[in-house]
Amino acid sequence: MEMTAAASFLMRAFSGIDLGILSLMHTLAVHLGWLLTPLCKLITLLGEKGVLFFLLALCLMCFSKTRPLGVCIFGAVCCGALITNILLKDAVARPRPFETLAVYREWWQFIGSPAEDGFSFPSGHVTAAAAGMSAICFLRGKRWILPSVGVVLAMMIARNYLMAHFPSDVLAAVIIGVFSGYVAYFITRQIFAFFATRKKGDKLARFVLYWDLPLPAWITYKGKH
């Protein structure tokens, strides 16, 4: 298969690391496939197109107290998607593991992983996970670092386990995701600082800073004890 210069470089530079980690994934599939295969497929499904993060962001944007976090998550995932899916994937055009070496194809067939289209570098699933969780960390502090690492690591392992990406693909995606999270964090702070200075007599500023989605009475009613 003819590759771009960038794809060929990645194949050469990370061949040892990629082979070692994917070999480990295959070993896990041999011994624990009954558990890991459906689990990794579920993790991949949940992370598809960053939909869960978009839904979370939209829900958070409905309330004034959580609106900055929602805006930040939404911006981070959008920024990551722009870099990964629009700028890099087609430019690098790296084939997926099962499209390169016969041994990867055998491992891919062994676990019954679906044939995914598009290019491999970097991983869109991992970019979205890293971007969304980084946005939460930047706005909500250090207590979110450990849960964020867990979410991103789970997505990285799932994508490698299913032979959908090389380890170097998911590592690059983490870097892009964290960068996207910081960009979104910086822009979000500027947006809300701008509206905070204009809130007096400014309907748009009051809407951005204070509007809350009305909730049904049965949700807000606390009842008497």
Side-chain angles (χ1 to χ4, degrees):
M1 177 182 293
E2 187 175 351
M3 299 186 191
T4 63
S8 297
F9 169 77
L10 290 171
M11 294 298 294
R12 292 192 306 270
F14 297 98
S15 60
I17 295 174
D18 288 338
L19 178 60
I21 295 178
L22 291 182
S23 177
L24 174 60
M25 295 296 105
H26 177 65
T27 301
L28 291 175
V30 171
H31 296 286
L32 296 172
W34 58 273
L35 172 64
L36 292 179
T37 298
L39 179 60
C40 289
K41 288 181 178 180
L42 176 61
I43 292 172
T44 286
L45 179 63
L46 293 175
E48 189 70 29
K49 309 297 183 184
V51 171
L52 284 183
F53 282 104
F54 281 126
L55 292 176
L56 173 62
L58 290 175
C59 290
L60 292 172
M61 283 191 281
C62 290
F63 306 98
S64 57
K65 289 184 178 180
T66 57
R67 187 163 297 126
L69 180 58
V71 170
C72 191
I73 293 174
F74 188 87
V77 177
C78 286
C79 180
L82 174 64
I83 296 173
T84 293
N85 297 319
I86 305 300
L87 298 180
L88 291 180
K89 273 192 179 285
D90 289 339
V92 176
R94 187 185 196 183
R96 295 187 183 273
F98 59 83
E99 297 175 317
T100 56
L101 300 180
V103 64
Y104 292 152
R105 186 170 186 83
E106 291 175 5
W107 294 347
W108 169 70
Q109 291 173 334
F110 178 82
I111 57 176
S113 180
E116 301 187 34
D117 56 6
F119 295 113
S120 187
F121 181 91
S123 167
H125 284 75
V126 176
T127 297
M133 298 309 297
S134 293
I136 296 174
C137 288
F138 285 126
L139 272 181
R140 287 294 185 262
K142 295 180 179 179
R143 66 182 182 276
W144 281 94
I145 291 178
L146 190 58
S148 297
V149 170
V151 169
V152 175
L153 189 59
M155 186 62 71
M156 294 172 70
I157 292 172
R159 301 306 285 156
N160 284 163
Y161 179 90
L162 295 174
M163 300 292 157
H165 290 286
F166 293 97
S168 47
D169 297 335
V170 300
L171 178 59
V174 171
I175 296 172
I176 294 168
V178 173
F179 171 77
S180 299
Y182 182 77
V183 170
Y185 166 70
F186 177 80
I187 294 175
T188 299
R189 289 188 61 185
Q190 300 306 310
I191 290 173
F192 282 87
F194 170 77
F195 282 116
T197 63
R198 298 173 58 88
K199 61 183 179 181
K200 292 183 179 179
D202 191 315
K203 292 183 179 180
L204 178 59
R206 291 200 301 271
F207 175 83
V208 170
L209 296 174
Y210 303 119
W211 179 82
D212 288 313
L213 178 70
L215 294 175
W218 64 270
I219 294 179
T220 57
Y221 178 68
K222 296 181 180 180
K224 296 182 179 180
H225 299 282

